[in-house]
Amino acid sequence: PVGLQKRILELQQESLNWPQYGSVTEITDPLQYPEFIDATDPRVNVVCHIYETHVPSCQTLNEILADVARTMPYVRFLRVRALALKKDFDLVGLPCLVMYRGGRLVRNWT
């Protein structure tokens, strides 16, 4: 149908206007955490991995997210060390993934 083909073309054109990332960005300054989220296009999901290097499951998730980020360029992937965010962060909650869209928390996986 012509209507369907037209809609497919519209979606393809619209996707050209979306920001693309394709990698995981390390946040080293905890003050940058909200800045990265707020500065991201409100249509884009932001997935942030809160981790620590000595936690084996965090190391594994870092590797997985690097691969996923390459295959999902329209999602912004971030990571930040838990103890950089909060000195007394309870490490029992790691790894932790949080997802934002339009600056608002959408999901929290711990």
Side-chain angles (χ1 to χ4, degrees):
V2 175
L4 179 59
Q5 290 173 342
K6 180 179 176 187
R7 182 65 181 138
I8 289 171
L9 285 174
E10 288 172 357
L11 289 171
Q12 288 172 339
Q13 285 298 108
E14 183 178 309
S15 72
L16 296 175
N17 296 326
W18 281 59
Q20 294 190 34
Y21 303 95
S23 65
V24 179
T25 301
E26 177 82 26
I27 298 174
T28 55
D29 178 356
L31 296 176
Q32 291 178 318
Y33 183 71
E35 292 174 11
F36 271 98
I37 293 163
D38 293 340
T40 301
D41 185 305
R43 300 172 296 171
V44 173
N45 288 321
V46 179
V47 176
C48 186
H49 179 209
I50 301 171
Y51 76 101
E52 275 303 319
T53 56
H54 65 277
V55 177
S57 54
C58 290
Q59 294 171 358
T60 301
L61 190 53
N62 274 333
E63 293 171 14
I64 291 168
L65 290 176
D67 290 338
V68 172
R70 284 190 288 277
T71 63
M72 299 180 70
Y74 298 112
V75 176
R76 187 170 201 182
F77 288 90
L78 306 173
R79 70 181 191 176
V80 61
R81 293 190 58 195
L83 296 176
L85 284 178
K86 187 177 176 188
K87 295 294 180 208
D88 61 345
F89 195 101
D90 188 356
L91 301 182
V92 80
L94 298 180
C96 177
L97 280 177
V98 289
M99 185 172 77
Y100 299 87
R101 186 173 185 144
R104 301 182 70 140
L105 180 65
V106 176
R107 289 293 307 252
N108 182 351
W109 298 276
T110 56

